[in-house]
Amino acid sequence: MKQQDAALVCFSGGQDSTTCLFWAKKHFSRVEAVCFTYGQKHSLEIEVARKIAADAGVPFQLLDVSLISQLDPNCSLTNTSIAMDQEKPDDSYPNTFVPGRNMVFLTFAAILARGKGIYHLVTGISEADYSGYPDCRDTFVRSLNVTLNLAMDEGFVIHTPLMDRDKSEVWELSDELGVFDLVRTQTLTCYNGVVAEGCGHCPACKLRKEGLEKYLRRKKEKQK
Ligand code: ZN
């Protein structure tokens, strides 16, 4: 039976998807989480995600899609012998880009959800920040949504609550949802696998820290 009030969240235990998990809990009465493992360097990420979901009372499922790491040897997230790009190269994407990742994740999420009678999918994809990855763009998500519906003759709806939010606005949303401290102290965004504040110098940590400082400055201004 189709459940209109149920959602499946693509969940990694990072700042963005944790915010999405609680956004989904606010908007749907039944929420489940799917976490993908694909040979990324830090399996701690999975344990962090599992714990946050358990604490939130959200059923958690791990899907192994590590096949994806066998397809492109040039990705620094899955090939440990490659140094991570700290900046975006002028003529291409940084080597932290995993080609096709969001397409694979959302496609598997949709198949999994369908089996559970769930047709709302939630993802933390955002085009406001990051390195301009092509599969973080709204147009890609809309296109895939149509494709999934055509592929399975269904009415999936992909929700992207963070699409237009920069990192400071993601912090703001977590505050509105009452999980600012949880996101700040329990999530793992760092490419070097350090929970909460992270290593402080990888691109993900820089983005997270800059967003946090910007949000806290804005909040302080408002309170004056
Ligand atoms: Zn870091």
Side-chain angles (χ1 to χ4, degrees):
M1 205 182 100
K2 292 192 181 185
Q3 300 215 5
Q4 293 306 333
D5 58 345
L8 179 68
V9 182
C10 292
F11 182 57
S12 72
Q15 178 192 353
D16 295 342
S17 66
T18 301
T19 304
C20 284
L21 187 78
F22 287 94
W23 178 89
K25 276 178 69 77
K26 187 184 168 189
H27 290 92
F28 297 91
S29 56
R30 176 183 158 214
V31 174
E32 298 200 16
V34 59
C35 179
F36 295 97
T37 176
Y38 56 98
Q40 64 268 55
K41 286 176 191 170
H42 303 289
S43 53
L44 173 66
E45 202 178 317
I46 295 156
E47 294 320 308
V48 166
R50 197 189 296 278
K51 183 179 183 306
I52 293 171
D55 290 349
V58 171
F60 176 90
Q61 192 165 346
L62 188 65
L63 279 192
D64 184 352
V65 292
S66 51
L67 172 68
I68 201 169
S69 67
Q70 296 170 28
L71 304 177
D72 181 4
N74 305 312
C75 173
S76 65
L77 289 193
T78 51
N79 185 344
T80 48
S81 64
I82 296 179
M84 192 185 299
D85 282 339
Q86 297 299 312
E87 307 278 339
K88 183 186 185 309
D90 287 339
D91 57 346
S92 65
Y93 296 103
N95 62 15
T96 48
F97 175 50
V98 185
R101 178 172 56 180
N102 285 337
M103 183 176 71
V104 170
F105 285 7
L106 283 167
T107 301
F108 280 118
I111 298 167
L112 181 71
R114 185 178 179 276
K116 296 169 179 287
I118 298 176
Y119 293 87
H120 291 278
L121 306 173
V122 182
T123 167
I125 289 175
S126 162
E127 64 182 9
D129 267 330
Y130 309 89
S131 306
Y133 296 155
D135 60 350
C136 288
R137 291 181 296 201
D138 189 49
T139 180
F140 155 72
V141 176
R142 287 169 191 263
S143 161
L144 182 64
N145 201 148
V146 171
T147 299
L148 290 171
N149 288 342
L150 289 172
M152 289 180 255
D153 195 17
E154 295 290 1
F156 291 105
V157 181
I158 303 178
H159 300 267
T160 52
L162 310 186
M163 184 55 79
D164 299 319
R165 291 175 189 262
D166 69 13
K167 271 283 186 272
S168 75
E169 291 163 330
V170 177
W171 283 112
E172 187 172 355
L173 178 60
S174 70
D175 212 357
E176 284 165 19
L177 293 166
V179 290
F180 177 80
D181 287 334
L182 185 157
V183 171
R184 192 172 179 178
T185 58
Q186 294 188 30
T187 61
L188 172 55
T189 308
C190 173
Y191 285 142
N192 291 311
V194 183
V195 177
E197 303 295 295
C199 74
H201 53 77
C202 76
C205 280
K206 281 184 192 161
L207 204 57
R208 173 173 167 139
K209 186 166 176 279
E210 282 166 14
L212 179 61
E213 287 169 355
K214 190 174 164 191
Y215 171 57
L216 291 176
R217 273 199 306 274
R218 202 161 63 226
K219 194 176 177 184
K220 214 172 159 186
E221 282 298 314
K222 272 190 194 162
Q223 285 168 344
K224 271 181 189 168

